Amino acid sequence: MTTAKDIMHSGAQWIPAHETLDRAAQMMRDHNVGALPISANGGQDRMVGILTDRDIVVGCVAMGHDPSKVTAGELAQGTPRWIDANADVDAVLHEMQEHRIRRLPVVENKKLIGMISEADLAQHLSDEQIAGWAEKVYSRS
């Protein structure tokens, strides 16, 4: 059985909720990622959301706000989604499809150990699995 841990990329980094968006953008650049899980109160034990590069552009810059004055926590919204490292690929796909998300943090023993992105799916799944996933995540409903 292929698990979330098998297809994730490791080394996911947290951004504390109090950290500014300019710092988040620098972290994304330095780690070559497009999303960072947001941790509550600077701790690395409770996720309050995920911040994407698009969130920074659309939710801050395009609104005329200064990314050095807006925090990651201010853009956190909704219920954060994650998957256990031992979950099988079908559970990963279901979670991403059900919530129409393109990035999914992977947790083991209550610790963030990685992230699953579209690129990870493309690298590890069959064409049929990817097509089914894309249809559900990107369809208009």
Side-chain angles (χ1 to χ4, degrees):
M1 168 181 85
T2 303
T3 66
K5 190 172 186 175
D6 296 329
I7 66 171
M8 71 175 199
H9 59 273
S10 59
Q13 299 291 313
W14 291 97
I15 181 99
H18 64 79
E19 196 63 74
T20 59
L21 298 183
D22 61 338
R23 178 66 187 125
Q26 293 163 2
M27 287 178 66
M28 288 179 189
R29 176 201 61 209
D30 294 347
H31 296 287
N32 194 30
V33 298
L36 298 168
I38 304 169
S39 63
N41 303 321
Q44 296 186 0
D45 57 349
R46 190 170 69 89
M47 184 171 42
V48 295
I50 293 182
L51 179 67
T52 67
D53 45 9
R54 186 176 192 284
D55 293 333
I56 295 170
V57 172
V58 175
C60 178
V61 176
M63 300 298 287
H65 301 298
D66 181 349
S68 68
K69 294 185 173 32
V70 178
T71 66
E74 290 176 68
L75 290 188
Q77 52 185 311
T79 302
R81 309 307 309 177
W82 55 271
I83 195 88
D84 187 86
N86 295 317
D88 69 16
V89 170
D90 289 337
V92 170
L93 293 174
H94 176 76
E95 185 71 16
M96 294 175 86
Q97 290 166 342
E98 179 76 18
H99 300 286
R100 300 182 67 163
I101 55 176
R102 294 179 278 168
R103 296 173 179 101
L104 188 61
V106 180
V107 175
E108 185 174 59
N109 299 321
K110 298 184 180 182
K111 300 286 183 204
L112 176 70
I113 63 165
M115 185 86 76
I116 297 173
S117 68
E118 293 171 301
D120 299 312
L121 297 178
Q123 199 171 27
H124 295 286
L125 302 181
S126 71
D127 290 345
E128 293 79 25
Q129 287 173 307
I130 294 167
W133 174 83
E135 182 180 342
K136 290 181 181 165
V137 169
Y138 289 109
S139 69
R140 294 181 189 162
S141 44

